[in-house]
């Protein structure tokens, strides 16, 4: 599977991704007016997460599935009988 940066950058903009971008930009602007290393690091982290569409969880264990509702079919469901 080939990594496509333009596909990652332009598609998949969810609410949380927009929120990280807006928070990162606002903290970065505030850091320009009042220089602070820790806030600058936080702004950079949020901006990178928004641009590359990654979270801060280890290995993406708490990421949300990209499957749409139409891809989740009843045929793929397995049931286990509990006695």
């Amino acid at each position: 599977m080939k990594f496509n940066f333009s596909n990652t950058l332009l598609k998949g903009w969810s609410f949380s991704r927009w929120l990280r971008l807006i928070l990162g930009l606002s903290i970065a602007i505030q850091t320009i007016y009042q220089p602070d290393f820790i806030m600058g690091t936080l702004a950079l982290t949020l901006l990178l997460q928004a641009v590359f569409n990654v979270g801060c969880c280890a290995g993406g264990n708490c990421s949300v599935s990209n499957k749409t509702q139409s891809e989740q079919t009843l045929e793929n469901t397995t049931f286990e009988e509990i006695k």
Side-chain angles (χ1 to χ4, degrees):
M1 183 170 154
K2 186 177 179 184
F3 178 73
N4 189 355
F5 181 70
S6 63
N7 190 26
T8 301
L9 184 62
L10 299 176
K11 295 185 180 176
W13 283 87
S14 63
F15 174 74
S16 61
R17 194 170 175 189
W18 280 107
L19 183 64
R20 286 189 299 242
L21 180 69
I22 291 169
L23 284 174
L25 286 174
S26 62
I27 294 172
I29 291 169
Q30 186 65 29
T31 304
I32 291 171
Y33 290 118
Q34 296 177 351
D36 184 10
F37 177 75
I38 295 173
M39 294 304 284
T41 305
L42 176 64
L44 182 65
T45 302
L46 288 172
L47 288 171
L48 288 175
Q49 285 181 349
V51 169
F52 294 114
N53 196 19
V54 295
C56 56
C57 294
N61 292 329
C62 56
S63 63
V64 178
S65 174
N66 289 335
K67 287 186 176 180
T68 61
Q69 188 69 11
S70 62
E71 292 176 0
Q72 297 173 352
T73 60
L74 190 57
E75 290 85 27
N76 294 337
T77 307
T78 57
F79 296 99
E80 180 179 335
E81 185 177 341
I82 300 175
K83 295 182 181 181

